[in-house]
Amino acid sequence: QKAKNFLESTNQEPINLSFEGQSWKIDTKTLITLLNLESSDSLVDQERVTNYLSDIVAKINQPVQEAQFSFDPSNTRVSVFKPSQEGRELDVEKTVELITVVLEGKGDKTIPLPVKVTQPKIKNEEVNNLGIKELLGRGVSHFTGSIANRIYNLSLASSRINGILIPPGEVFSFNDKVGDISAASGYKQAYIIKSGRTVLDDGGGVCQASTTIFRAVLNAGLPVVARTAHAYRVGYYEQGFPPGLDATVFAPTVDFKFRNDTPAHLLIQAYVSGNTLYVDLYGTSDGRVSTLTKPIIHSQTPPLPELRQDDPTLPKGEVKQVDWPAWGANVSFSRTVTRGGEILIQETFRSNFRPWQAIFLVGTKEG
């Protein structure tokens, strides 16, 4: 009888779920699929209602998305190239409760859906009031000789930090901004340093982006919060530069971080031109000047003797090189950041590069 009353009531006036101009009607035909006629506790099957709401969740829910911006030095204006988006999340449990109450005849049949809305930190129209006026520092690195997958990966990683705004006082985390580095997020396989070996893995080349933003931060005079040198000297980072000006990343344990301690927002612009990656940091200068000493190589260690390992997956007689030799070195350089005669930062960066050996795999697989 209770089920009959539910259905008759809904036949006369369907339940209407609404959110920002969208609406979904629960009519008699739909309601039949949501009832459990075998239960004496509640005719409303909460699991079925939750499943019914999954389509509505797909239409409403969306992650909060910060806008991405570009700076035009010719008119010192900032424009939006990827608009911001508010975050939305339907409270499914609360919605099930509201529908149950209505079916029991205790509430209005028009139900405004309970949706949690999260606003982006910066609205598009506010961007030209954030103090982005001039170039504070530029980082440059070259990647001549990189394989196609490596170039693809470094370009993808750079695109994910391009256009990001960093509020005053905030710490920028490279890993947080770039996000997941895997085939699932679009990266291809290229060589990386992993567990003491150079191996093909998803995301090889991402460190070109972290290295280049490290150089921009050094030149802009911003405080470095976390930086780790590579395990061994990588030739790409010494194209036109001395050793020691690199920063590796490997989520979640190894990250590159810096703080925006300026009075205004910072804007990152990362872009590739030819075989060169640029990272520019725009904001408002407070008069600070950053001075770097030339990196000094304190000691060098020759590469270890080459190693040959049997590989049963390669045809007998085939030889495949999977690691390349590199000199070990202890390298350091210093940075002093001043403003009006006051020393803001005085620090030394050290890199302890291990000697690396050439490794060859020798096939042992018979015919």
Side-chain angles (χ1 to χ4, degrees):
Q1 182 60 46
K2 194 173 184 181
K4 182 173 180 291
N5 293 340
F6 277 2
L7 294 168
E8 287 178 348
S9 172
T10 307
N11 192 41
Q12 295 170 9
E13 184 185 354
I15 297 170
N16 186 54
L17 310 177
S18 65
F19 175 72
E20 289 191 352
Q22 301 180 77
S23 62
W24 298 266
K25 293 188 184 300
I26 301 179
D27 53 20
T28 304
K29 185 178 179 181
T30 303
L31 180 57
I32 291 174
T33 67
L34 306 181
L35 299 181
N36 183 0
L37 302 178
E38 298 173 0
S39 171
S40 57
D41 297 327
S42 173
L43 277 173
V44 180
D45 189 310
Q46 295 200 350
E47 184 176 348
R48 293 178 185 176
V49 176
T50 300
N51 289 338
Y52 163 75
L53 291 173
S54 62
D55 287 340
I56 298 177
V57 166
K59 290 182 173 66
I60 291 179
N61 284 17
Q62 63 183 30
V64 65
Q65 179 175 284
E66 297 298 334
Q68 290 185 298
F69 304 93
S70 61
F71 181 81
D72 185 350
S74 66
N75 60 13
T76 66
R77 297 288 292 175
V78 179
S79 60
V80 179
F81 69 84
K82 182 179 178 182
S84 61
Q85 171 181 280
E86 68 178 16
R88 298 173 180 172
E89 184 177 6
L90 176 66
D91 187 333
V92 174
E93 187 176 340
K94 180 66 175 176
T95 304
V96 172
E97 290 178 11
L98 292 171
I99 292 172
T100 302
V101 167
V102 170
L103 290 176
E104 291 174 348
K106 301 175 183 176
D108 194 321
K109 288 191 175 181
T110 297
I111 302 175
L113 289 172
V115 177
K116 179 184 177 182
V117 176
T118 305
Q119 294 296 335
K121 294 177 184 176
I122 299 164
K123 295 181 179 178
N124 300 337
E125 62 272 14
E126 297 173 344
V127 68
N128 278 297
N129 300 320
L130 300 178
I132 300 164
K133 302 175 182 177
E134 56 206 313
L135 179 66
L136 303 184
R138 167 173 288 172
V140 178
S141 69
H142 309 293
F143 49 87
T144 302
S146 290
I147 62 173
N149 281 7
R150 187 176 188 275
I151 296 173
Y152 172 88
N153 289 338
L154 70 88
S155 299
L156 179 59
S158 300
S159 73
R160 290 179 176 170
I161 61 171
N162 182 46
I164 287 176
L165 284 170
I166 308 167
E170 184 171 296
V171 172
F172 168 91
S173 162
F174 185 90
N175 288 346
D176 286 350
K177 296 301 183 185
V178 171
D180 176 53
I181 298 174
S182 68
S185 56
Y187 289 92
K188 298 179 180 181
Q189 289 209 329
Y191 287 106
I192 68 165
I193 304 171
K194 184 177 182 181
S195 303
R197 290 286 303 275
T198 304
V199 297
L200 278 173
D201 203 352
D202 297 339
V206 168
C207 291
Q208 190 92 33
S210 57
T211 288
T212 312
I213 194 171
F214 171 50
R215 294 174 181 180
V217 168
L218 288 175
N219 292 329
L222 299 167
V224 174
V225 176
R227 173 261 179 179
T228 302
H230 283 77
Y232 66 84
R233 293 167 68 175
V234 178
Y236 300 116
Y237 308 135
E238 295 183 25
Q239 291 183 4
F241 293 89
L245 295 171
D246 63 297
T248 187
V249 289
F250 194 84
T253 54
V254 181
D255 198 359
F256 172 71
K257 299 179 181 181
F258 71 92
R259 178 179 289 105
N260 175 12
D261 67 341
T262 74
H265 281 68
L266 295 175
L267 171 65
I268 300 175
Q269 289 205 195
Y271 52 97
V272 170
S273 178
N275 289 324
T276 301
L277 173 63
Y278 297 89
V279 174
D280 293 341
L281 295 174
Y282 290 95
T284 297
S285 173
D286 60 2
R288 71 181 66 187
V289 177
S290 180
T291 305
L292 307 180
T293 64
K294 185 177 179 180
I296 300 170
I297 300 177
H298 299 282
S299 63
Q300 293 198 79
T301 310
L304 299 172
E306 70 177 44
L307 178 66
R308 290 180 176 256
Q309 299 175 333
D310 289 345
D311 188 333
T313 66
L314 292 177
K316 188 173 182 178
E318 182 176 329
V319 178
K320 180 180 180 182
Q321 186 171 7
V322 294
D323 240 323
W324 287 261
W327 280 71
N330 289 313
V331 182
S332 70
F333 70 92
S334 298
R335 178 175 71 148
T336 303
V337 180
T338 59
R339 182 179 58 214
E342 176 191 4
I343 295 177
L344 302 180
I345 300 172
Q346 194 162 41
E347 61 191 342
T348 299
F349 292 90
R350 303 184 190 279
S351 305
N352 184 18
F353 299 113
R354 293 158 50 189
W356 219 248
Q357 65 189 153
I359 299 178
F360 297 86
L361 300 180
V362 180
T364 59
K365 184 179 180 182
E366 296 288 348

